[in-house]
Amino acid sequence: MAEANINDRASFERAYDRHSFEQDAAMNARSDTTVVHGVTILSAPNAEGLVELSRTAQHVGEGNPEGDPVFVAAFRLNDTAAENADTYAGSVELPAAAPNDAAGDYWAFIDQLLDTARNAHFKPDIGRGEERLKGFHGG
């Protein structure tokens, strides 16, 4: 697990470097993949803008109905597998403007990760006075 600041792009690049992106994107580009790799945003930004990130994998059919945490899969924008409608990767929505080099793909992914971290909605923490914790709980 790593921390990154939504006000500091370089902190996201340190937490998820280009080499990690290249490895994950290559695994995700396989047409027979059942597990996608990327980054999970584990927390909402705190007052200083810090979020917790983790390099993770997720089954292609795995959903997240509760909204916590947020998984962002790593894909190259110009992979033929990502453009092929017969693959799992074909259902991933890609940005309209796609750079033609690997560095551009990485920078676009970091942009997407930053945007997602800034705008993700997490449920509030359960506190001591939380209504859901009051009352009889068996015994």
Side-chain angles (χ1 to χ4, degrees):
M1 185 169 54
E3 281 191 336
N5 191 314
I6 61 170
N7 302 312
D8 179 16
R9 179 187 176 86
S11 67
F12 277 80
E13 292 174 0
R14 285 188 301 274
Y16 189 68
D17 63 17
R18 184 172 166 188
H19 179 72
S20 298
F21 169 78
E22 289 294 329
Q23 286 180 324
D24 289 348
M27 287 186 279
N28 294 343
R30 293 177 45 115
S31 63
D32 62 345
T33 190
T34 58
V35 176
V36 290
H37 302 265
V39 176
T40 299
I41 302 167
L42 300 169
S43 67
N46 65 14
E48 292 83 34
L50 294 174
V51 296
E52 293 177 5
L53 304 174
S54 178
R55 184 176 176 193
T56 55
Q58 176 174 304
H59 188 275
V60 294
E62 187 175 336
N64 188 6
E66 296 294 321
D68 296 336
V70 180
F71 178 76
V72 182
F75 286 100
R76 288 188 210 110
L77 300 175
N78 294 310
D79 270 341
T80 56
E83 296 167 2
N84 185 346
D86 294 335
T87 63
Y88 296 119
S91 64
V92 174
E93 187 174 324
L94 299 173
N100 289 325
D101 63 349
D105 290 345
Y106 173 65
W107 294 328
F109 179 78
I110 294 296
D111 288 341
Q112 177 187 10
L113 195 58
L114 272 163
D115 186 53
T116 303
R118 286 183 182 126
N119 298 314
H121 298 285
F122 289 85
K123 295 181 299 233
D125 291 336
I126 294 177
R128 189 170 181 90
E130 174 68 34
E131 190 64 35
R132 294 177 282 174
L133 299 177
K134 294 181 180 176
F136 180 72
H137 293 283

